[in-house]
Amino acid sequence: MANKRPKPEEIVTKLRQVEVLTGQGMPRLDAIRQIGVTEQTFYRWKKKYGGMGTDQLKELKRLQKENERLRKAVSDLTLDK
């Protein structure tokens, strides 16, 4: 059975947990293991969501939905021509 993918809000929370644990003196690798992800996954998440707050995350989602809607509208118009 496949593992479920964490939601972006959960990813931001896990990234913050690692920051807190490393701030308390725990080595970064141990902190990453404690949140239950691989080192590669952590760095990929950090690249995409690093430094992002929940409000910024919601804005990102909204903009992605708007972008998708606009792309569909443009593709429909080009097909009509």
Side-chain angles (χ1 to χ4, degrees):
M1 190 157 134
N3 294 336
K4 73 170 194 162
R5 292 180 183 224
K7 295 180 180 175
E9 294 86 6
E10 295 170 347
I11 292 172
V12 170
T13 303
K14 287 184 178 193
L15 290 174
R16 285 191 190 139
Q17 284 177 337
V18 170
E19 289 177 12
V20 168
L21 292 172
T22 55
Q24 293 173 347
M26 180 181 282
R28 178 172 281 158
L29 281 176
D30 292 340
I32 293 170
R33 289 184 190 129
Q34 187 169 347
I35 64 168
V37 297
T38 63
E39 187 177 3
Q40 180 182 4
T41 301
F42 169 76
Y43 287 113
R44 188 175 348 105
W45 285 354
K46 187 175 178 183
K47 183 178 179 182
K48 186 171 183 180
Y49 299 107
M52 194 177 288
T54 54
D55 55 338
Q56 292 171 329
L57 187 60
K58 289 177 185 177
E59 180 67 15
L60 175 66
K61 282 184 183 180
R62 187 190 66 75
L63 290 172
Q64 287 174 341
K65 285 182 182 179
E66 178 71 13
N67 192 20
E68 183 64 29
R69 185 186 67 77
L70 291 173
R71 283 184 187 201
K72 283 185 179 182
V74 168
S75 66
D76 289 345
L77 288 173
T78 56
L79 287 175
D80 288 343
K81 284 188 173 183

